[in-house]
Amino acid sequence: MKKIVITGGKELHGKIRISGAKNAAVAIIPAVILSDGVCRIENIPNIMDVNLMANILHQMGATVNRVNKTTLEIDPTRINKPEAGYELVRKMRASCYLLGSLLGKFSEARVALPGGCDFGVRPIDQHLKGFGVLGAENSVSEGMINVKAEHLRGGHVYLDVVSVGATVNIMLAAVKADGKTIIENAAKEPHIVDLANFLNSMGADVRGAGTDIIKINGVKHLNGTTYSIIPDQIEAGTYMAAAAATQGDVVLQNVITKHLESITAKLREMGVQIEEYEDCVRIRNSGRLHKCNIKTMPHPGFPTDMQPQITALLSIADGTSIVNEAVWDNRFKYVDELKRMGAKISVEGRIAVVDGIESLNAAPVKATDLRAGAAMIIAALSAKGTTYIEDIQYIERGYEDVVEKLTSLGADIKVVYTEDSVIHHTA
Ligand code: EPZ
């Protein structure tokens, strides 16, 4: 078994470069299917989820050429079936974006039901509602979702909940539909804007991305393009939290500070010093962190994908903090792992009450999902002793070179391979 081993207590110092945004990349790669030419995508993070998505396109008939570590060239013109293979697709949530892009390209799609991190129920009713407005019927058979339109045409979609996935999927289906689509109550995340910019660089007509009304005029053809993905807001936020947890002084290069505003505001409230520059940010902390309350919200609110990492920080802050998870039903599974390290946290539904303690103690723990894994890393960096983190495949899904980056900042971190588990969890 592969584990991350961290001996805590080292202050992080130095500079690292933030990678391209995972959640933009996993939307933009399927969007390439809509193109009639070759797309060159730069600043792609070299992580499992992205490589899985590129493999899915390859299996579907696309030519995928890795130009270098962070650049892919994809020729989708040989994809001629509106179907994506079961085995790879069911491993990741974002594979449901293939529904939108295949529907946009072929007016039909057949894709396995998506997998991904488990935060309770993860419905796709809003995606299907949007496809319905565009004229597509849906059905489920043998673990696959089928969507099909006789005539894919624009329409007016009002989302009942703000959903990143539904907004992406409806945009993908609508860019080549006949006529105008309006998405109201759309998600405003930076990766939605990035997807719109990518689609427009192929010749699409998408306006309003980043606001809650997106207007799309369907076009007949989309051309190949060269496009560079935005930096990863959550990866940056995770290293900001790591710097704060270790009383460090760290500069993160290749960031868009505007995307970090909600994270920066909360870290400042906790007493962390943050200096913003054009495309980098410096994080310094020298004292005990202060308590603060967090409520996760769709962008521009505090991102749910930073909730576990900030809770790890609050577990060593001075005082009692309340964390309210307002996006997902069940995103506190990792709290039991933090408790193994001595954290005092009680969870009631979507609320966690965090009683900050002086410091955490090392323990064998596991990553229960991607961001939970990031929270374990932050906790371990600050803890006394040596922590073993299991199930690091979740971390590898979303963080490029995490061990190398933290090592370059002075952390005592390595990957080890062991015969079997050192952790004996009870059910
Ligand atoms: C995206 O997931 C992200 N994933 C998640 O990040 C992130 O946590 C989430 O957005 C919220 O920001 C990707 O971008 C690949 P949603 P998504 O649809 O699109 C409800 C990470 O760690 N909902 O915005 O699946 C849903 O239950 C990952 O990088 C419906 O009710 O999330 C949830 O409560 C994990 N019906 C809320 O909306 C629907 O049809 C937000 O979900 C769709 C969603």
Side-chain angles (χ1 to χ4, degrees), residues 22-23 122-126 163-165 305 327-328 371:
K22 169 182 87 87
N23 288 345
R122 294 188 73 174
I124 58 163
D125 56 301
Q126 298 302 305
S163 160
V164 170
D305 293 345
V327 176
W328 295 109
R371 308 302 174 190

Side-chain angles (χ1 to χ4, degrees), residues 155-340:
H156 197 135
V157 186
Y158 191 97
L159 294 177
D160 300 333
V161 290
V162 180
S163 160
V164 170
T167 305
V168 167
N169 244 339
I170 298 164
M171 283 165 75
L172 293 173
V175 279
K176 289 181 83 178
D178 206 0
K180 182 171 189 164
T181 297
I182 298 177
I183 310 172
E184 292 211 50
N185 201 23
K188 300 185 281 239
E189 270 63 9
H191 33 288
I192 299 285
V193 180
D194 211 35
L195 173 64
N197 288 341
F198 172 71
L199 291 168
N200 287 342
S201 80
M202 295 201 293
D205 182 357
V206 181
R207 296 166 196 213
T211 75
D212 47 20
I213 303 181
I214 298 178
K215 294 181 181 161
I216 301 160
N217 286 308
V219 296
K220 289 259 176 288
H221 298 288
L222 293 173
N223 44 260
T225 185
T226 295
Y227 190 81
S228 182
I229 287 182
I230 51 166
D232 197 305
Q233 165 207 23
I234 305 300
E235 189 200 16
T238 300
Y239 286 107
M240 289 167 86
T246 60
Q247 318 265 309
D249 183 353
V250 168
V251 173
L252 303 177
Q253 296 169 311
N254 187 39
V255 297
I256 297 174
T257 51
K258 177 93 190 135
H259 295 169
L260 301 174
E261 272 174 351
S262 62
I263 302 166
T264 301
K266 280 295 160 189
L267 289 175
R268 283 191 175 135
E269 212 178 308
M270 294 170 74
V272 181
Q273 281 173 271
I274 297 174
E275 293 162 35
E276 295 169 328
Y277 300 94
E278 200 177 309
D279 62 354
C280 67
V281 66
R282 179 177 182 188
I283 305 97
R284 279 184 291 165
N285 181 36
S286 51
R288 178 108 188 255
L289 296 162
H290 311 313
K291 64 173 181 158
C292 87
N293 297 336
I294 305 274
K295 181 172 183 179
T296 65
M297 302 281 275
H299 192 78
F302 189 86
T304 171
D305 293 345
M306 274 300 296
Q307 182 263 100
Q309 301 91 311
I310 211 85
T311 304
L313 268 190
L314 293 172
S315 73
I316 49 167
D318 191 8
T320 301
S321 309
I322 310 286
V323 179
N324 183 343
E325 173 54 57
V327 176
W328 295 109
D329 282 339
N330 186 2
R331 205 175 190 171
F332 284 122
K333 279 190 193 155
Y334 68 91
V335 162
D336 282 342
E337 302 302 308
L338 277 183
K339 283 183 177 171
R340 288 175 206 286

